[in-house]
Amino acid sequence: MIPCEIRVYLPYGLTDRRLMCDGVSLESIVERLGTPVYVYSARAVREAYRAIDEAFTGYPHAIHYALKANSTLALLRVVRQLGGRADANSIGELQVALRAGFAPDDLVFTGVGKTRAELEFAVAQGVAAINVESPGELDRIAQIAADRGVAARVAVRVNPDIDAKSHPNISTGLKTNKFGVALSEARDVYRARRDVRGLRFVGVHVHIGSQITTPEPLTRAAEVLSDLALALRSDGVALEHMDLGGGLGIGYDGRPALSAADYAAAVLPALRRCGLPVVLEPGRALVAHAGALVSRVVDVKVYPDSRRFAVLDAGMTELMRPALYGSFHRICPVVPRDTPDTPWDVVGPICESSDVFARDRPLPELRVDDLVAVLDTGAYGAVMASNYNRRLLAPEVLVDAGGWSVIRRRQTLDDILALEA
Ligand SMILES: Cc1ncc(COP(=O)(O)O)c(C=O)c1O
């Protein structure tokens, strides 16, 4: 297996100099499905789930997997079978979660700009909590619920002005970000609506960002939330849970990141102080390591200054993170040549200069038709794919129990054109 964080299960590794996923040959998958193709390890999802679940053993907790990381039905079913619940960010994600077999009270519903239709759907379903972004949204929910003669279960998302020390594009807990209600106003927002028909305050919510790899911001967020929950208790607002959001990062570079145990250690003292059951919304930490994007080299270009490009048949349309955040992904040839590593620019085929997976990456020699795997792409990979350049969405495969199956077929041109007049 590729050396990495010892406490994290990594499904991709070389056996007899061929890259495998849990012992299943990536070449055999490509032989049937072509490239590009996303491959996921069910075992990696289970191991990641168990790591978080075990880290919080002894403290009442619920793991609401954040669908935004990857919402392919078969993966959701893996999470559900483990006892997981769901965090949805749109009406589409709510509906997909229900189709995957989650019950309405397994769902929390987050999202910075929920439409009236989305709120009506969530209220009608009776989800476990709507994580509310503003006083205005609370009032809209109250109206919708009162019209139906029910009380909607709500939690206010607090913006604690804490720097998650992650990439600025995935930091959400600063006062310059659009998310949540300012901490200084949150208590009043609850107090002013304590007796409003149509609202039942069940929790407090925070999510300060994604790919967080240091414990301090997570500790501070938990402390802030705990203080707020205690203050609300003294105001007579009895809550049922504290929702700490997601954000637990992974080691994209193969070096140790914050483990589930580190995460629990960072937040449990604050949780214990207030005693409320905790809701966790991990996305990336559950599915990122599970995924690989397998792609073929379609061209090799050597410039006179000896810069070398390997052009893949996958690009920012399949995996947007490098173009969007400059993010790093390990790249492994599926059958690495026995040559010394030299620097390669690994790029996609899209007509955008940002369509680059890696610059100056030390890799063995690459030739046209070679296969490469872009690792740790189970989260924010397939879900962010697009049809730009009229490219078709790649198929997705789940490796489980020594076999594999197609969990989403490759899109066809007819699939896209069916929408057009
Ligand atoms: C509200 C909320 N919860 C959970 C998540 C999942 O975050 P992550 O994948 O970093 O765990 C996100 C992602 O941004 C989010 O916005």
Side-chain angles (χ1 to χ4, degrees):
M1 294 284 146
I2 290 161
C4 190
E5 228 274 69
I6 30 159
R7 286 163 295 182
V8 170
Y9 174 71
L10 296 174
Y12 296 90
L14 291 172
T15 306
D16 297 332
R17 295 195 63 77
R18 304 189 112 73
L19 195 64
M20 313 283 239
C21 172
D22 290 337
V24 168
S25 144
L26 295 178
E27 290 164 286
S28 67
I29 295 173
V30 167
E31 227 163 76
R32 247 188 57 203
L33 295 183
T35 52
V37 55
Y38 269 105
V39 178
Y40 307 121
S41 151
R43 180 172 170 198
V45 177
R46 292 192 188 107
E47 300 270 354
Y49 184 94
R50 281 196 199 109
I52 297 179
D53 202 24
E54 278 172 28
F56 283 86
T57 304
Y59 193 87
H61 63 277
I63 299 176
H64 287 249
Y65 167 60
L67 264 71
K68 63 192 303 194
N70 189 327
S71 57
T72 308
L73 282 171
L75 277 184
L76 299 184
R77 291 191 194 108
V78 171
V79 173
R80 190 172 58 80
Q81 280 160 8
L82 293 164
R85 301 180 191 181
D87 162 36
N89 241 271
S90 66
I91 191 166
E93 286 190 354
L94 283 172
Q95 289 168 337
V96 167
L98 293 169
R99 287 207 199 180
F102 291 101
D105 64 3
D106 288 333
L107 309 179
V108 294
F109 181 32
T110 323
V112 77
K114 304 181 197 75
T115 64
R116 198 170 291 274
E118 289 181 311
L119 293 174
E120 275 167 2
F121 184 79
V123 171
Q125 289 293 324
V127 299
I130 304 176
N131 290 332
V132 181
E133 291 275 344
S134 70
E137 186 175 280
L138 264 180
D139 296 340
R140 286 190 289 282
I141 294 169
Q143 187 65 57
I144 290 166
D147 288 351
R148 298 180 139 279
V150 296
R153 296 170 58 84
V154 292
V156 173
R157 177 174 180 170
V158 175
N159 183 325
D161 196 22
I162 292 173
D163 184 353
K165 302 250 177 343
S166 180
H167 190 284
N169 291 11
I170 48 175
S171 292
T172 55
L174 287 170
K175 64 180 178 201
T176 47
N177 299 132
K178 64 185 173 183
F179 301 95
V181 171
L183 179 62
S184 55
E185 289 176 13
R187 191 171 174 185
D188 285 344
V189 167
Y190 278 88
R191 281 199 294 211
R193 292 166 183 78
R194 203 170 25 192
D195 302 319
V196 168
R197 207 165 55 92
L199 294 181
R200 175 154 164 222
F201 287 106
V202 294
V204 274
H205 178 236
V206 73
H207 172 79
I208 58 169
S210 200
Q211 185 52 14
I212 301 172
T213 53
T214 51
E216 296 79 16
L218 295 162
T219 301
R220 280 187 52 216
E223 279 168 354
V224 159
L225 219 59
S226 185
D227 288 345
L228 178 62
L230 288 170
L232 289 171
R233 187 178 295 165
S234 70
D235 294 338
V237 183
L239 302 177
E240 297 173 16
H241 70 254
M242 275 183 16
D243 183 339
L244 292 184
L248 178 57
I250 67 143
Y252 278 103
D253 56 2
R255 288 204 294 270
L258 203 65
S259 71
D262 297 334
Y263 177 43
V267 299
L268 277 171
L271 290 174
R272 289 207 175 93
R273 197 153 51 76
C274 118
L276 284 175
V278 66
V279 166
L280 305 167
E281 300 173 355
R284 184 189 315 270
L286 289 189
V287 293
H289 284 311
L293 172 61
V294 186
S295 172
R296 202 177 279 285
V297 177
V298 291
D299 199 7
V300 170
K301 307 206 310 182
V302 182
Y303 277 9
D305 67 356
S306 84
R307 194 158 201 94
R308 278 173 320 156
F309 294 90
V311 186
L312 307 185
D313 66 359
M316 62 193 287
T317 41
E318 285 68 40
L319 177 66
M320 207 207 267
R321 299 188 68 253
L324 199 57
Y325 315 128
S327 64
F328 176 95
H329 284 272
R330 293 178 290 153
I331 298 176
C332 297
V334 171
V335 187
R337 288 209 164 68
D338 201 5
T339 56
D341 284 358
T342 51
W344 287 84
D345 285 4
V346 183
V347 302
I350 314 299
C351 305
E352 300 283 337
S353 298
S354 57
D355 186 28
V356 175
F357 285 155
R359 290 243 185 245
D360 290 323
R361 182 67 60 86
L363 287 170
E365 190 190 342
L366 294 172
R367 294 189 198 154
V368 169
D369 285 339
D370 283 359
L371 296 173
V372 297
V374 187
L375 299 186
D376 306 320
T377 47
Y380 306 106
V383 277
M384 286 188 171
S386 81
N387 290 128
Y388 184 43
N389 282 195
R390 288 289 194 181
R391 289 168 59 81
L392 307 172
L393 298 184
E396 292 171 67
V397 161
L398 188 66
V399 171
D400 198 9
W404 62 275
S405 56
V406 179
I407 57 170
R408 193 179 70 182
R409 68 165 170 80
R410 190 181 301 283
Q411 198 179 35
T412 65
L413 191 62
D414 285 342
D415 289 336
I416 330 179
L417 291 183
L419 305 174
E420 298 186 21

